[in-house]
Amino acid sequence: MAKLADVLSAIDALGFDPRRSKVVATRLRDAGVIPAGGPARSPDLDETDTLRLIVAIAVTSKLRLADHDLDVYAGLVPFGLVFREGTPDSIPRTAFDAIDLLVETARAGDTDARLSTIEFVRSWPEIVVNRYPNIWIRHFVVAGSNAGHWQRSGHRTATTVPVRVIADILDQVFGKVAA
């Protein structure tokens, strides 16, 4: 567990506006997405809460919608697939599951995972995981959508975050993971 202030300080390494990050954290806390703490006591976050906060900061375009945006983006599915009963458990069901797995793999020392990047598209709900060096790309979009097409007309605005930076933030705040 780590204090919210320590997590926000570490997240500064991503280059997001610290004031904006604090407002997003407040929105998530007020919505019950991350712990609220108590009277005169800062909230304690775990690795999953910290990863939720990072994703929310990366995808939120309107601060008042931070909790909603996180909910939508975390629930995106690979290639817009609609999972049926009997689908193998080895396939990550949501974008958040895939990001969590990739970051944990990077924290455990997998150099390929550390070279990977995650694109958070703010123009429409989409997350793109670029895994190196074999360069496989996995698009996470709303179930039933065609991941090969833009979801709307207009410009595509995305923020690309190296997985190694997220892994280093979690290592800094929570300690190294044994390989």
Side-chain angles (χ1 to χ4, degrees):
M1 301 297 265
K3 297 292 181 194
L4 177 59
D6 296 333
V7 169
L8 287 171
S9 176
I11 288 176
D12 287 347
L14 291 171
F16 295 113
D17 178 12
R19 292 171 299 184
R20 191 170 196 286
S21 298
K22 189 173 182 178
V23 172
V24 170
T26 301
R27 288 290 301 180
L28 296 182
R29 186 195 65 212
D30 293 347
V33 176
I34 61 174
R41 191 176 53 99
S42 178
D44 288 322
L45 276 62
D46 61 15
E47 285 101 338
T48 302
D49 296 327
T50 302
L51 196 54
R52 280 188 190 112
L53 180 57
I54 290 170
V55 171
I57 291 168
V59 302
T60 299
S61 57
K62 294 181 180 171
L63 294 174
R64 63 184 167 76
L65 298 175
D67 53 325
H68 174 265
D69 289 347
L70 174 62
D71 188 43
V72 169
Y73 278 80
L76 298 177
V77 296
F79 305 109
L81 295 174
V82 176
F83 289 102
R84 306 231 186 271
E85 195 171 321
T87 303
D89 291 335
S90 60
I91 298 173
R93 297 294 195 259
T94 65
F96 190 81
D97 293 341
I99 292 169
D100 187 33
L101 179 63
L102 184 59
V103 170
E104 286 304 312
T105 305
R107 289 183 72 198
D110 184 313
T111 54
D112 294 347
R114 291 184 66 79
L115 292 173
S116 301
T117 60
I118 303 168
E119 293 177 41
F120 298 97
V121 180
R122 288 189 316 267
S123 305
W124 52 79
E126 179 181 12
I127 293 176
V128 181
V129 177
N130 300 299
R131 179 79 188 245
Y132 295 101
N134 298 333
I135 308 184
W136 60 256
I137 299 170
R138 182 163 290 154
H139 291 263
F140 290 85
V141 294
V142 176
S145 298
N146 184 346
H149 294 281
W150 282 19
Q151 305 303 311
R152 294 189 191 120
S153 62
H155 295 284
R156 180 180 184 268
T157 305
T159 300
T160 302
V161 178
V163 172
R164 69 176 167 70
V165 176
I166 298 173
D168 290 344
I169 288 169
L170 293 176
D171 285 346
Q172 174 188 342
V173 175
F174 299 102
K176 294 272 187 194
V177 171

